[in-house]
Amino acid sequence: PNFSVSGEPRHAMGAGSPSGPRACCGPRSSNACCRNEFLEIFLAKLEEGNQEFDSAFLYKLQAKTGADAQDARYSLLYQRTELALEAPNEHGIRAVVPQKVRRLLRLDWSQDGLSFDEIDARLPETLLVQSKVFERPLRPAELLQHLAEVQNKVFDFDNWTSYDFCRYFMTQASGKTY
């Protein structure tokens, strides 16, 4: 199973589904396609809620060691800010108080497929490779379109690694890169 930073199951193809593993493009050996139906549903709900991403972050994660050592793994985070309407006050009573909360959509592409998670904090700055502030906010529907363009790709250490996946998505929206 694939788990998030918080220890919760990640939403990956073949994992996290109550009805068991789901293949995105029919029976296959070990090659997972670049599609995740749960991510598509999640992004559709964000679109319905009029959410937008304002920036993206590319991280280089630690490479595996030993016999399984391959290229380093990369992870992509899309940041959005939303209003949280409830927050406990100093007496523990919930009050309706609009408050801006940062949310991050984490995308990971690996041999196991495309997984995602929503997290509250960025990864450590020491792992940051590049960040981008979008010229105009990126709509979830636009991200869905970009995902549709690569949905038939399979993980390949020579042609379509996590780095290639992340670089592709970093270039799809215009903005200032840091």
Side-chain angles (χ1 to χ4, degrees), residues 38-50:
F38 300 108
L39 174 58
E40 293 168 6
I41 292 167
F42 180 77
L43 288 171
K45 287 182 181 179
L46 289 180
E47 182 68 28
E48 287 173 15
N50 205 29

Side-chain angles (χ1 to χ4, degrees), residues 92-104:
I93 300 170
R94 293 212 176 264
V96 179
V97 179
Q99 185 176 350
K100 287 187 176 184
V101 178
R102 178 176 57 191
R103 301 275 188 238
L104 295 145

Side-chain angles (χ1 to χ4, degrees), residues 148-176:
E149 293 167 8
V150 298
Q151 71 180 353
N152 294 320
K153 290 188 174 274
V154 294
F155 189 88
D156 181 324
F157 281 110
D158 295 324
N159 298 311
W160 190 244
T161 64
S162 63
Y163 178 76
D164 300 311
F165 172 87
C166 291
R167 291 297 306 153
Y168 172 81
F169 282 95
M170 285 294 282
T171 62
Q172 295 307 299
S174 58
K176 182 147 177 100

Side-chain angles (χ1 to χ4, degrees), residues 11-175:
H11 303 281
M13 294 314 297
S17 170
S19 60
R22 294 185 185 195
C24 58
C25 45
R28 63 182 184 271
S29 57
S30 62
N31 290 337
C33 64
C34 196
R35 183 170 182 242
N36 184 316
E37 64 187 60
F38 300 108
L39 174 58
E40 293 168 6
I41 292 167
F42 180 77
L43 288 171
K45 287 182 181 179
L46 289 180
E47 182 68 28
E48 287 173 15
N50 205 29
Q51 299 292 313
E52 298 176 320
F53 299 103
D54 54 49
S55 52
F57 303 89
L58 170 62
Y59 292 91
K60 181 178 182 180
L61 308 177
Q62 291 198 329
K64 293 180 180 179
T65 58
D68 289 338
Q70 295 284 350
D71 295 333
R73 287 184 25 233
Y74 291 81
S75 190
L76 186 60
L77 272 61
Y78 283 96
Q79 179 175 286
R80 72 180 202 284
T81 303
E82 66 180 33
L83 284 179
L85 296 179
E86 285 190 21
N89 67 15
E90 61 191 47
H91 304 291
I93 300 170
R94 293 212 176 264
V96 179
V97 179
Q99 185 176 350
K100 287 187 176 184
V101 178
R102 178 176 57 191
R103 301 275 188 238
L104 295 145
L105 172 64
R106 179 177 174 173
L107 301 180
D108 290 299
W109 172 238
S110 71
Q111 290 173 293
D112 297 328
L114 177 60
S115 62
F116 77 101
D117 195 14
E118 185 168 58
I119 57 178
D120 295 326
R122 294 183 195 154
L123 299 179
E125 289 296 313
T126 56
L127 303 176
L128 184 63
V129 173
Q130 185 179 47
S131 62
K132 179 183 262 188
V133 176
F134 301 134
E135 277 182 17
R136 64 173 182 77
L138 178 69
R139 302 285 312 176
E142 293 174 274
L143 184 52
L144 275 168
Q145 289 174 337
H146 299 313
L147 285 163
E149 293 167 8
V150 298
Q151 71 180 353
N152 294 320
K153 290 188 174 274
V154 294
F155 189 88
D156 181 324
F157 281 110
D158 295 324
N159 298 311
W160 190 244
T161 64
S162 63
Y163 178 76
D164 300 311
F165 172 87
C166 291
R167 291 297 306 153
Y168 172 81
F169 282 95
M170 285 294 282
T171 62
Q172 295 307 299
S174 58

